[in-house]
Amino acid sequence: MITCFIRYEIDPFKKGEFERYSEVWGEAIPRCGADLIGYFAPHEGSATTAYGVYNIADLAAYEQYRARLAADPQGRENYEFARRERFILKEDRIFLRLCSR
């Protein structure tokens, strides 16, 4: 099992748009095959840093999941919403594996 951590830099004046985007992923990500841990919006401290976190079996499963997500009508609309509204300024992904028990 690997965990994908997505770090977002968001427009601090469009936090509501990011939260809407996150709610959609709350349905689409599990439907497309990943185990969503959650999306996290700024609350205290940085007003521009947000995260999305989910588990997936391995990188091969990740590629299959990404293809399903890209083909998913709700997923496609959410990508378009983010592009149109421009609330995500930067997005970085890292895959980590749990090494403690």
Side-chain angles (χ1 to χ4, degrees):
M1 183 71 60
I2 57 175
T3 303
C4 179
F5 289 83
I6 308 169
R7 181 186 176 278
Y8 296 96
E9 180 182 331
I10 64 170
D11 181 330
F13 300 104
K14 294 186 175 184
K15 188 171 89 170
E17 285 87 340
F18 180 79
E19 290 173 356
R20 175 180 160 197
Y21 173 81
S22 300
E23 289 174 11
V24 171
W25 287 142
E27 296 176 14
I29 288 174
R31 182 175 57 248
C32 291
D35 175 24
L36 181 64
I37 294 169
Y39 269 74
F40 302 86
H43 177 70
E44 184 68 29
S46 172
T48 60
T49 303
Y51 292 92
V53 184
Y54 60 86
N55 291 318
I56 195 119
D58 53 36
L59 290 176
Y62 171 74
E63 292 302 326
Q64 295 168 352
Y65 152 77
R66 291 289 292 181
R68 285 190 299 272
L69 198 60
D72 183 84
Q74 194 178 25
R76 283 195 315 268
E77 172 53 35
N78 213 29
Y79 285 127
E80 175 57 28
F81 171 65
R83 188 198 63 75
R84 184 177 62 247
E85 298 299 323
R86 300 179 157 300
F87 52 88
I88 297 173
L89 306 176
K90 186 177 178 184
E91 181 178 329
D92 295 307
R93 263 182 192 74
I94 187 170
F95 294 90
L96 302 174
R97 64 178 175 79
L98 181 65
C99 61
S100 63
R101 299 288 170 205

